[in-house]
Structure formats: C-alpha cells, structure tokens
Amino acid sequence: MARAESVVGVVGAGTMGRGIAQVLAEAGVQVLLHDASEAAAHAGRGFACDMIERAVQKGRMDASAGKAAKARIVPALSLDRLGQAEIIIEAIVEDLSAKRELIARLDPILDPAAIIASNTSSLSITAIAAGSAHPERVAGLHFFNPVPLMKVVEVIRGVETAEQVIERLIGLVESFGHFPVVTDDSPGFVVNHAGRGLYTEGLRVVQEGVTDPATVDLLMREAAGFRMGPFELLDLTGLDVSYTVMRKIYDQFWQEPRFRPTPLPERQVQAGHFGRKTGRGFYRYRDGAMERPAEIAPPALAGSAARIWLDRSTISDQAFLSALAARLADWHDDGMAPAEESICLVAPIGLDATQAALSAGTDPARTVAVDPLFGPDRRLTLMTSPAMQRAFRDAAWAVLSASGAKVSVVRDSPGFVVQRVVATIINIACDIAQQLIASPGDIDKAVRLGLGYPAGPLSLGDTLGPARILAILDGLLARTGDPRYRASLWLRRRAELGLSLLSSEVSLS
C-alpha cells in the first residue's frame, strides 16, 4: 500500500481529518480531502499545509519535500471525486447513524476493491459496517490527537472484515511511521479500554474519602512516575467527553465492575465544570494555567525526636524497610520489640493500616503504614488507621520528612492509593490479553504510545512482580468484597507459574 501514487480519501476535515491528511501527504500519498462543508474542506487543507510549512521552517523537512507534500492534499468538493481512492478514511462526527449513512453513499462510488476505514474512538466497527453492502471491506483505523505526534493507530477488525483489508491498513500505517495495533472489535478497542483503570480507580479512591484529587495526582506522578494523574487527565481531555466514554464502555461491557464509574464526574458535568476548556473541573484554571492547591506542610520535628520501629513480620516488605532504615539512622528504634513510645511502621502489600497493625501485633494507636511498592526513594504514602493517635502520626510524618522524603498522608485504604491504581491498570491490561483482543506486545506498546504511561502495563507488572500485583488485588477483593478487584486469570496463572505477563500461550493451530 505504501506507494507514492496511492490515493486515499479522507472524509471529515476537522481536527482529526486534517491531521490524517497531513501525515499521509508527508508520506507520499495523494489525499482527497472531503467535508460536507466546502469551506471546511479548504480550511482543513490550509491547516494541514500550514503544519507542513512549519515543519519546513523548523528544519524537520526539506523545502522541496514540503512543497510536494502540500501539493498532494486536494480538496474533493463532492463525494463522487472520491471514486478513484483506494482507501477511504472516515473521520466525521462520532454518530453511528451518520457513519452508516456515509458508508452507504460511498458504496456505489468506490471500486469494489476499495477499503473504508472508520476513525471511530468508541463505536463498534461491526455496527458501522452494517451500513455497507460490502461489510468485508470496512475496518477501523483509530488515530489519536494530535495525529502527527501520537505515533499509534489502532487497526480494528470487525466481524465481517476481510484479512487482506487489515493487512493493507497495517501497511498504510507503517508507511507514515506510526505503529499499527491490530485489535478485535471490542468496546474501547485497546487504548481506551486499557485507560479505564487510571480513571475509575482514581475516582473510587476519592469517592471513598481516602484522599483528595490533587493528592491522588501527586502520588501518581511522584511515586508511580506517571506524567499526569487521573484528575489532571480528566480535566485536560474534558469531562464532557471522558464521562461519556466511561459510561459507554461500562454499558458496552454489560456493567463489568472493573469499569464502574462513580458519581463524581457526573456531578462535575452537571455543573458545567468540564475541566481546562471551561476554566474549572477538578481543578481551577486562570488564563489556561492550572491552579494547584498548596501541599500541606509536614509538622515540625519535636525537640526530642520520635523513634521509629520497623516491623519485622511477614506482612511488611522487608527489603523496603531495610532501605528505609538507612535513611532513619538518627531515629531508628532497632529493638526486637518497639519501645513504649516508639512509632510502629509497617509496609504492607494489599492491606490497610488496620489489618497491618492487627496482623503484625503492634499497637494500632501508634502504628502507621508506608507504601513500599515503588521503593523509598520516591514520594512516600503515609497511611493511618482510625485508631491512630494524631501525635504519633505527626511525629512519623515529621521524621520521614526530615529524613529527606516527600510525604503524602492518606486515610486507611487496602492497597494505599498507588497500589490500587497501578494494580487496576495492570489487571485490565491482563484481561485484554486474556480475551485475545490484541497481543501482549501490542497492548503494551499501544498503551505506552497512546496514553503516555512510563511503561506498558504488562511490562510494569513484570517490573513490580506479578505475584505482588496479584497480592494487591486479592487483598482488595478480600477486604472490600467488590468484584472490580477480581484478578484476571492471565495475571493469576502467570503469577503462580512465575511467568512474564508478556508471555503468550502456545497457539491452538
């Protein structure tokens, strides 16, 4: 497919359509850009040409190559002009009826061998293809915004899609340097499906009163290493859009508990607080800049510094506590049992502070939990039980801060905050692999490129340890009884067998 003389029609000259036209033209493809509005078609071409010229001015493209690329984008002012196209990429409004109607109009115009690809982000390709007399030539080609920068494209196979159609679309995507992810027709495909964990679990944490949105975001950035937390992302993408996708995927999976949203985003939408675009969402914005709430300062270290005793039981991560002990040299109580006034520090996986104190046999009034998942050199999460006395909490907070750590304090929650969110992300990716929606390697790369995560979710699970992720989920399920935390069999079996989460099974053929 990657031939300079190839002709591709792009229907819809909005944000997505003009970006698609740009990358195709830069790759040597003749583009026929159509829109229901002639003015929009010309404007879309003009925008794409401006972006190409900007690349020339910045030295990313030769001037002659830029001139040739711009010449390849031609406004097609009627659908009939698209008859010469080998592939049509539909990028119109996200409405099933509109897409079906367009495809029905294209059928008699196109050559029988031509392909129709929909850039839908959430509609069923199979349902869209039902609008065609030739559903075998209809597939999905889901780009991400901005198209030139987001280097992943989902190639979606409907129930009737012919395999040669998928192969040609893979070749087209590779021709302009993007990564094609082949996926079956499933709600959310791969990227939006995998992205549910960050949003829904972040919302659940706040709904339960564990902490506030800003602290969740802070921990996901500075403890887990993500570029943005769930509430920053919701504000950036727009709650009016994101909440609709949440509801749609939840319903399309027949109310699968893993994708269950909370009332929080609906309240924001009802209030018209969509995020950055309206000046207010989970955060407030002034002149487009986010106003982050000030972080609470740690308490002052008392004159006679508190002593911290580190739990030696099996419920705590001993490697983490050993590393932490080196930082707490001046405050470390190294007795076999804690002194009467010492703070008891536990580091559990998948437990809350109440469970940890009772399991370790320490005094709940002076037992505080620290999340060990990402080690002691990142932001620490300090978690208290309802029995924790404020003086001991403040002393632990002050000592850890004085040792050089950044510390956030949260209320009792099995799995803290980061454990919960990260384990949910990994679990959903494992279930995508279990359902054979896409290959493990494609899932990992698609999520990393499409969502900007620090690593693919399956690779992240391997780094943290599948057995630890399983322990977090099993702990959450046992404590809450909520089936949203049931572990994917893909994860459970690989954790039990000591295998990588990226390992595929032997083919049945």
Side-chain angles (χ1 to χ4, degrees), residues 17-164:
R18 65 199 189 193
I20 295 167
Q22 177 187 337
V23 297
L24 288 170
E26 290 176 349
V29 176
Q30 180 78 28
V31 180
L32 301 175
L33 183 59
H34 175 78
D35 196 280
S37 161
E38 290 188 12
H42 286 291
R45 179 190 183 277
F47 185 90
C49 290
D50 287 346
M51 293 300 101
I52 294 169
E53 183 60 31
R54 182 178 297 182
V56 171
Q57 295 298 325
K58 291 187 175 182
R60 296 197 298 263
M61 183 183 296
D62 180 80
S64 60
K67 182 178 180 180
K70 289 186 285 187
R72 293 187 192 103
I73 305 175
V74 179
L77 303 183
S78 70
L79 278 181
D80 290 340
R81 285 288 309 279
L82 301 178
Q84 61 184 294
E86 300 172 30
I87 293 176
I88 298 292
I89 300 174
E90 167 271 302
I92 65 171
V93 63
E94 190 76 343
D95 178 82
L96 179 59
S97 296
K99 291 178 186 293
R100 281 179 168 174
E101 179 183 348
L102 172 64
I103 288 174
R105 292 175 61 197
L106 287 169
D107 267 344
I109 297 171
L110 299 175
D111 184 272
I115 292 170
I116 301 174
S118 175
N119 181 50
T120 181
S121 61
S122 60
L123 298 175
S124 164
I125 295 301
T126 303
I128 291 171
S132 174
H134 307 285
E136 70 280 357
R137 72 171 172 187
V138 180
L141 206 59
H142 179 210
F143 293 80
F144 294 82
N145 187 37
V147 174
L149 299 181
M150 299 297 285
K151 298 294 186 180
V152 62
V153 182
E154 293 174 317
V155 182
I156 305 136
R157 181 189 293 108
V159 169
E160 300 286 346
T161 307
E163 194 57 35
Q164 61 265 31

Side-chain angles (χ1 to χ4, degrees), residues 192 195-196 198-200 203 230 234 237-252 259-262 264-266 282:
N192 281 332
R196 295 310 91 202
L198 179 65
Y199 291 141
T200 58
L203 287 163
L234 286 168
T237 57
L239 280 155
D240 52 333
V241 175
S242 297
Y243 181 58
T244 299
V245 174
M246 279 186 214
R247 291 284 302 267
K248 190 173 292 186
I249 290 179
Y250 179 56
D251 289 338
Q252 287 174 339
F259 308 128
R260 185 175 62 241
T262 75
L264 293 177
E266 183 176 26
F282 288 104

Side-chain angles (χ1 to χ4, degrees), residues 1-3 24 27 87 89 115 117 139-143 151-157 161-184 439 442:
M1 180 58 216
R3 304 190 308 268
L24 288 170
I87 293 176
I89 300 174
I115 292 170
L141 206 59
H142 179 210
F143 293 80
K151 298 294 186 180
V152 62
V153 182
E154 293 174 317
V155 182
I156 305 136
R157 181 189 293 108
T161 307
E163 194 57 35
Q164 61 265 31
V165 168
I166 298 299
E167 292 170 0
R168 288 183 67 193
L169 291 177
I170 290 171
L172 177 66
V173 172
E174 290 176 339
S175 75
F176 52 80
H178 282 40
F179 176 69
V181 177
V182 179
T183 171
D184 283 342
S439 70
D442 277 6

Side-chain angles (χ1 to χ4, degrees), residues 28 72 111 124-125 156 206 209 241 279 285 309 315 327-328 335 346 462 473:
R72 293 187 192 103
D111 184 272
S124 164
I125 295 301
I156 305 136
V206 172
V241 175
Y285 298 83
W309 181 83
I315 66 103
R327 296 179 57 171
L328 296 174
V346 292
D462 280 348
L473 293 165

Side-chain angles (χ1 to χ4, degrees), residues 399-412:
V399 166
L400 287 170
S401 298
S403 75
K406 294 180 179 179
V407 181
S408 294
V409 181
V410 303
R411 296 183 180 89
D412 217 1

